Amino acid sequence: MQKSAIKILTAVAAASMVLGFSAGCGSAVQNNATNSDAQKSVSKEVTGIAIGNQKIKNGGTLTIGLSSDPDKLDPTLSSSLYSRYVFQNTCEKLYDINSKDETVPLLASGKPKISSDGLTYSFNVRKGVKFGDGTAFNAAAVVKTLERDLTNKASARKTELGPITKVSATGEYSVQIDLSKPYAPLTAVLADRAGMIMSPKALDSLGDNFASAPVCVGAYKVVQRVPSTSITLEKDPNYYDAKDVHFDKIEYKIITDASIRAQNLKSGDIQVADSLTPQDASSVKGNSALSLMSVLSLGNQGIYINLANAKGVGQPTQQIDSPIAKNAKIREALDMSINRTQLVNSVFGGMYESACSFISPESPYASKASNTCVKYDPAKAKKLLKEAGVTTPYKIKVQVTNTSLNEQLMQAIQSQVKAGGFDLEIDPVEYTTLLSNVDQGTYGDAAQLGWSGRIDPDGNVTSFFKTGAAMNYAGYSNKTVDSLLTEAASTNDLTKRSKLYGEASQQLREDDPYIYLYRMRYLTGVSKKIAGVYVYGDGVLRVSHAAFLAK
Amino acid sequence: MLKYMVTRLWQSAIAIVVSSILVFLVARMLPGDPALALAGEEATPERLAAARAQMGLDQPLWIQYVRFIGRCLHGNFGVSLRTGSSVNGMLATTIPVTLELSFMAIVLAVVFGILLGVIAQRYDAHWPSWIVDGISVAGLSIPNFWLGMLAIQVLCVSLRLFPASGYVSPFVNVGQSIYHLILPASVLAFQLVAAIARQMKTSMKKTMASDYITTARAKSISPARILFSYGIRNSLGVVVTIVGLQLGSLLAGAVVTESIFGLPGFGKMILDSVFSRDYPVIQIVVLIITVAYILINFVVDVLYSYLDPRIAVGGQQ
């Protein structure tokens, strides 16, 4: 009796915590005391929970709470980042990344040999590997996949594969890729969806409907998919490393609400939950049955200032007629009115990091120049505004996605930039609407958006800030930056590239078309009943070799 | 009578065609499109153009509309632009979930609503009645989503009495199916319980004060028989009316409840399709709801005119 009374008491206490959370939504900035503790405890990255010497048992079903329903399970056509979570188990890539965000061979048997002019990549692929349908994996399959990625009308891979002119099989297990100009990001690109090799037999029979019954090389294969609800995988006996694959099945349950996902993890309905909010992450950390993994994202979040995107990206730019668009001093003033450290501590419980450039400090390409931030100095910001000759408080309207966390962030920024002489108005809009607005250039003064990040720095900058680039939402154009980015993408020398990207980030900081705010962490909750789970800088959850621990 | 029905049928058909055009246009008036929603942050112009061409969104609107109607007439609702799965298949899996959830919620609401209403009347002006009044106020004012979150936190996470999410079809395992749905159904039913209890109490008060109850008492009929056979039975009309009126808001509640409990139902499908601008799915779900309302109205109108011959097409009789 007493036991159940205690249980009920705990339940009531927990319930009042829920109450507290919902009541505290509007006042994120005041949570400093508890949050600094959280910061201390999650300062280091936890990229994996290794099996190590622990005893494991084979079999069972792993249930994962996934935050978003992937789109088509077709590596060529897929646009959603979440499809990679499933592909990690079902569709292996030529290269993968490791915990240090370096590329390592997976289906390829070694690093690519790059010719001295940078125009030819050649590599060998693993022998004795079979696709899920039992057919042999070889160089011809690689060629067929890459050709599909390059030529399919609806391919989402074409742009990222860059200046490829020809893909050919030079032997049964050797592949050669010819380029029209040097393209350093290629290996990293082959460590993402473009490097996932599909079964030629399945491609022949299914064509554009490959997603209806996808077949690749993988530890598991897709057996059932209920849209918006679940994806079920089953162990693939044809997998080359099948003896180290332990679950019978993996089920992805689509649970889009972050707190519900955390609740399901705590109740034991699921064993893994991705993309936890910092709030839920700290409660997972305090739960003795769960562990928290936290990995710094390669992407970033920031505020685009509309400089010259008047008619939409892809159209000729046209200077926006407003002081902040015309005068870099005002943008610099806004930049230095933001106290990033306080921001990540108060809004994200210290679990995220402040960001000042497109290169993560964890990246091998990080340099002193890329890690430098504009110093927080509201007094100087006011002075800059005065020099710019605008009346203060300077009014600026920022569009932001209408999720509670994003609105909290903007509210915190709103109160910070007041001291710097800004009167910031928050304009919350639904996510797809915001995407449409930045795409069309109809977002007014500014918009808060971000980027999930790519392994190669080129993927985190060129599309956004090169003149006329596909996602240049600010309408930014600077010849120095253009040539730095072109040069950096055409050399394979890490030191040289790092220096060039450092210079580019310095120039971007001066021009401020985009005010970098923070870098998120992928926060993943994992039940202590399982081990062998990893998350690296690309955010993808790796569970292909995970297992239940023996009791 | 026949002429009346034909006229009403004809009007219903026009209403359906007009609403299909409206739904088609309104879905396209949402900012952004499925290509953009799908590409998300990776929305490069080439990719958007390719996706739009693949989805047939580069065609003129009237061609897209004619194709949509043509498919509907063949009973083929097309494929989801997001996942590529057939909309017919999606409907076949989601509608039963929502029907089961709503059915359980209505049963729970009717049983508990009547019970609480009767108790409140029986012990009027005493503590049981106050508790029921409290529950009614709470039920009418606590939002569905919050109650759901609270229920998960307390009953699923802390006490581990129920699963926090998931669905099992009753055709696979009836017990498991009820076990998975009982909590979401209760949450969904709460508001309806409150409404029924309140109305039932008032209605019971009126009934129990009427002359025939006094007469029954005078004839020394047992109090239990008076309560059940005369009191409750004659107060039930109001329950039927409320349940009828609340069917619409029950569906709205299902959208929220299904999202919180991760149930693969029709409500969740509506929400997901709107957020991902999945035109074919939005069009069909809204059209199905419209057709259902029009049909219900049609049946009700026909019933009325059957019950009351004075209602007929203007001036015919």
Side-chain angles (χ1 to χ4, degrees):
Chain A
M1 256 341 249
Q2 242 181 344
K3 242 189 187 169
S4 64
I6 291 171
K7 257 192 170 177
I8 290 170
L9 271 179
T10 344
V12 172
S16 43
M17 265 177 63
V18 173
L19 276 166
F21 266 149
S22 23
C25 273
S27 56
V29 190
Q30 289 133 27
N31 291 339
N32 267 333
T34 45
N35 288 329
S36 55
D37 296 340
Q39 191 192 13
K40 260 179 244 156
S41 52
V42 199
S43 55
K44 264 203 147 178
E45 314 299 308
V46 183
T47 57
I49 295 163
I51 294 178
N53 291 329
Q54 300 173 89
K55 269 205 163 151
I56 54 161
K57 58 181 178 191
N58 281 317
T61 300
L62 174 72
T63 313
I64 299 173
L66 198 59
S67 54
S68 178
D69 193 20
D71 63 334
K72 298 185 182 86
L73 292 177
D74 179 327
T76 308
L77 306 178
S78 163
S79 290
S80 126
L81 291 170
Y82 290 89
S83 58
R84 299 179 305 169
Y85 284 49
V86 178
F87 287 142
Q88 190 66 32
N89 292 313
T90 62
C91 216
E92 288 199 342
K93 308 170 285 188
L94 290 171
Y95 292 90
D96 199 0
I97 61 166
N98 62 14
S99 62
K100 293 176 196 142
D101 299 334
E102 298 158 339
T103 50
V104 288
L106 189 61
L107 286 179
S109 55
K111 291 222 160 197
K113 283 195 194 76
I114 307 168
S115 64
S116 55
D117 58 2
L119 296 178
T120 312
Y121 278 58
S122 46
F123 56 89
N124 291 330
V125 297
R126 274 172 185 258
K127 290 173 187 166
V129 172
K130 277 182 185 163
F131 286 106
D133 55 12
T135 55
F137 164 84
N138 50 28
V142 176
V143 172
K144 189 165 177 106
T145 291
L146 289 177
E147 273 175 354
R148 181 175 189 250
D149 286 343
L150 288 166
T151 56
N152 188 293
K153 199 174 75 151
S155 170
R157 303 281 83 81
K158 200 172 184 299
T159 325
E160 65 199 38
L161 277 168
I164 295 185
T165 50
K166 198 179 153 208
V167 184
S168 47
T170 46
E172 202 186 346
Y173 297 104
S174 40
V175 180
Q176 184 177 316
I177 299 176
D178 296 317
L179 303 169
S180 61
K181 57 181 184 194
Y183 183 58
L186 187 59
T187 319
V189 166
L190 295 178
D192 199 339
R193 282 158 293 183
M196 296 175 182
I197 308 305
M198 294 164 265
S199 153
K201 190 182 157 197
L203 284 178
D204 285 339
S205 64
L206 296 169
D208 279 354
N209 288 325
F210 180 79
S212 63
V215 183
C216 303
V217 176
Y220 295 85
K221 52 185 177 186
V222 183
V223 285
Q224 198 199 9
R225 174 167 196 187
V226 185
S228 307
T229 306
S230 65
I231 296 170
T232 311
L233 314 180
E234 205 173 72
K235 188 176 165 168
D236 184 351
N238 284 312
Y239 184 54
Y240 60 88
D241 194 18
K243 67 172 180 18
D244 288 325
V245 176
H246 305 292
F247 300 119
D248 292 333
K249 279 182 180 176
I250 294 180
E251 190 190 357
Y252 292 93
K253 266 191 189 180
I254 315 301
I255 308 178
T256 45
D257 185 291
S259 54
I260 303 288
R261 208 156 54 245
Q263 303 277 39
N264 273 265
L265 181 68
K266 288 177 206 165
S267 71
D269 288 68
I270 58 178
Q271 286 90 42
V272 183
D274 80 299
S275 312
L276 296 174
T277 61
Q279 229 170 28
D280 290 322
S282 48
S283 73
V284 162
K285 216 172 152 45
N287 189 317
S288 60
L290 306 170
S291 351
L292 178 71
M293 291 166 64
S294 78
V295 179
L296 195 64
S297 159
L298 294 166
N300 60 73
Q301 294 282 325
I303 300 175
Y304 282 101
I305 311 284
N306 195 348
L307 309 181
N309 178 7
K311 298 173 191 154
V313 286
Q315 303 297 322
T317 55
Q318 185 189 324
Q319 176 66 48
I320 302 285
D321 187 24
S322 74
I324 196 163
K326 285 177 170 167
N327 194 337
K329 268 188 186 162
I330 303 177
R331 301 194 291 273
E332 197 188 348
L334 185 63
D335 197 346
M336 63 177 62
S337 309
I338 298 170
N339 183 344
R340 293 176 174 77
T341 317
Q342 199 210 351
L343 205 64
V344 291
N345 284 343
S346 60
V347 182
F348 304 118
M351 293 210 180
Y352 293 173
E353 295 287 335
S354 42
C356 300
S357 78
F358 58 91
I359 296 182
S360 156
E362 300 278 318
S363 160
Y365 294 92
S367 61
K368 202 178 161 206
S370 74
N371 287 341
T372 310
C373 282
V374 172
K375 210 177 148 231
Y376 170 60
D377 191 346
K380 196 176 167 196
K382 266 196 169 156
K383 226 176 97 193
L384 280 175
L385 284 183
K386 210 173 165 190
E387 281 172 31
V390 292
T391 47
T392 50
Y394 183 82
K395 273 191 192 314
I396 172 173
K397 194 166 168 179
V398 183
Q399 291 203 339
V400 53
T401 317
N402 60 355
T403 63
S404 62
L405 205 60
N406 272 316
E407 288 182 30
Q408 279 174 43
L409 170 82
M410 279 326 285
Q411 281 160 9
I413 294 178
Q414 187 180 42
S415 71
Q416 281 186 351
V417 298
K418 244 182 222 157
F422 287 91
D423 175 13
L424 189 147
E425 192 190 330
I426 304 168
D427 182 11
V429 287
E430 183 250 0
Y431 182 60
T432 308
T433 308
L434 183 58
L435 284 177
S436 165
N437 290 347
V438 292
D439 195 56
Q440 302 296 318
T442 52
Y443 60 99
D445 295 330
Q448 198 277 305
L449 261 181
W451 173 240
S452 64
R454 291 291 178 274
I455 307 158
D456 193 278
D458 179 72
N460 302 326
V461 60
T462 301
S463 310
F464 304 95
F465 302 115
K466 203 168 176 177
T467 304
M471 291 177 282
N472 193 335
Y473 300 135
Y476 176 70
S477 174
N478 181 314
K479 286 206 174 86
T480 317
V481 171
D482 287 352
S483 64
L484 284 169
L485 296 180
T486 312
E487 201 186 337
S490 53
T491 167
N492 284 300
D493 181 344
L494 196 144
T495 331
K496 199 174 163 201
R497 292 187 77 195
S498 167
K499 190 173 161 279
L500 292 167
Y501 286 128
E503 282 167 32
S505 63
Q506 218 158 2
Q507 185 63 48
L508 283 167
R509 202 156 36 240
E510 275 165 33
D511 296 340
D512 268 325
Y514 177 79
I515 297 174
Y516 289 90
L517 293 174
Y518 69 95
R519 223 174 285 288
M520 60 162 288
R521 273 200 169 79
Y522 295 105
L523 299 168
T524 310
V526 183
S527 159
K528 285 195 175 152
K529 287 180 181 158
I530 62 165
V533 183
Y534 300 88
V535 176
Y536 301 145
D538 58 3
V540 175
L541 180 67
R542 291 164 162 81
V543 292
S544 58
H545 290 62
F548 281 111
L549 293 171
K551 275 181 196 140
Chain B
M1 186 65 205
L2 188 70
K3 191 176 173 201
Y4 173 74
M5 277 181 67
V6 170
T7 314
R8 287 293 288 121
L9 203 60
W10 170 232
Q11 286 169 348
S12 300
I14 293 177
I16 290 173
V17 171
V18 171
S19 58
S20 79
I21 296 176
L22 277 179
V23 169
F24 182 85
L25 291 178
V26 167
R28 278 162 177 75
M29 275 164 66
L30 294 170
D33 68 6
L36 191 66
L38 196 59
E41 55 171 30
E42 295 191 74
T44 62
E46 304 94 32
R47 186 173 300 173
L48 289 181
R52 282 175 189 142
Q54 195 200 10
M55 293 169 180
L57 299 176
D58 52 347
Q59 302 287 326
L61 270 188
W62 69 271
I63 291 186
Q64 293 185 41
Y65 179 75
V66 169
R67 281 187 185 161
F68 162 60
I69 291 299
R71 279 200 310 265
C72 285
L73 291 176
H74 284 96
N76 167 14
F77 297 143
V79 292
S80 156
L81 297 181
R82 180 175 170 76
T83 59
S85 14
S86 105
V87 178
N88 293 48
M90 287 165 79
L91 291 173
T93 57
T94 56
I95 289 179
V97 179
T98 304
L99 284 182
E100 192 188 351
L101 176 71
S102 312
F103 178 73
M104 271 175 77
I106 289 175
V107 171
L108 285 170
V110 168
V111 170
F112 285 97
I114 292 175
L115 193 71
L116 290 177
V118 171
I119 291 173
Q121 185 274 328
R122 182 81 182 72
Y123 300 98
D124 196 18
H126 288 88
W127 64 267
S129 158
W130 300 331
I131 290 180
V132 172
D133 286 349
I135 293 176
S136 300
V137 172
L140 292 174
S141 44
I142 294 179
N144 214 320
F145 70 90
W146 191 81
L147 189 68
M149 303 267 295
L150 197 68
I152 291 181
Q153 175 67 42
V154 177
L155 300 173
C156 309
V157 176
S158 299
L159 300 176
R160 304 217 169 178
L161 295 176
F162 298 100
S165 66
Y167 172 76
V168 177
S169 163
F171 299 107
V172 173
N173 184 331
V174 179
Q176 276 296 318
S177 180
I178 294 176
Y179 179 54
H180 275 81
L181 277 185
I182 194 85
L183 198 57
S186 307
V187 168
L188 185 55
F190 199 52
Q191 211 153 12
L192 198 51
V193 169
I196 293 176
R198 248 185 130 84
Q199 295 296 325
M200 189 69 190
K201 179 183 165 184
T202 318
S203 169
M204 276 291 284
K205 265 176 148 172
K206 217 165 148 189
T207 313
M208 296 305 275
S210 54
D211 292 343
Y212 62 87
I213 299 283
T214 318
T215 312
R217 286 208 182 103
K219 287 170 85 178
S220 69
I221 293 171
S222 78
R225 188 155 170 226
I226 291 177
L227 184 67
F228 287 104
S229 304
Y230 299 86
I232 296 179
R233 202 172 159 176
N234 288 307
S235 310
L236 279 182
V238 64
V239 175
V240 176
T241 315
I242 294 177
V243 171
L245 286 173
Q246 296 278 328
L247 273 175
S249 61
L250 206 63
L251 181 68
V255 173
V256 177
T257 315
E258 284 171 7
S259 293
I260 291 179
F261 287 91
L263 297 172
F266 193 63
K268 191 159 179 289
M269 187 168 141
I270 298 176
L271 201 68
D272 292 341
S273 65
V274 172
F275 281 132
S276 57
R277 307 288 193 271
D278 205 337
Y279 296 152
V281 184
I282 302 178
Q283 281 158 204
I284 289 306
V285 290
V286 180
L287 201 58
I288 285 178
I289 295 172
T290 314
V291 170
Y293 267 92
I294 289 174
L295 278 184
I296 289 169
N297 270 330
F298 172 69
V299 171
V300 169
D301 281 353
V302 169
L303 272 182
Y304 272 149
S305 79
Y306 179 74
L307 294 172
D308 185 350
R310 283 172 298 180
I311 301 170
V313 185
Q316 190 228 345
Q317 283 187 339

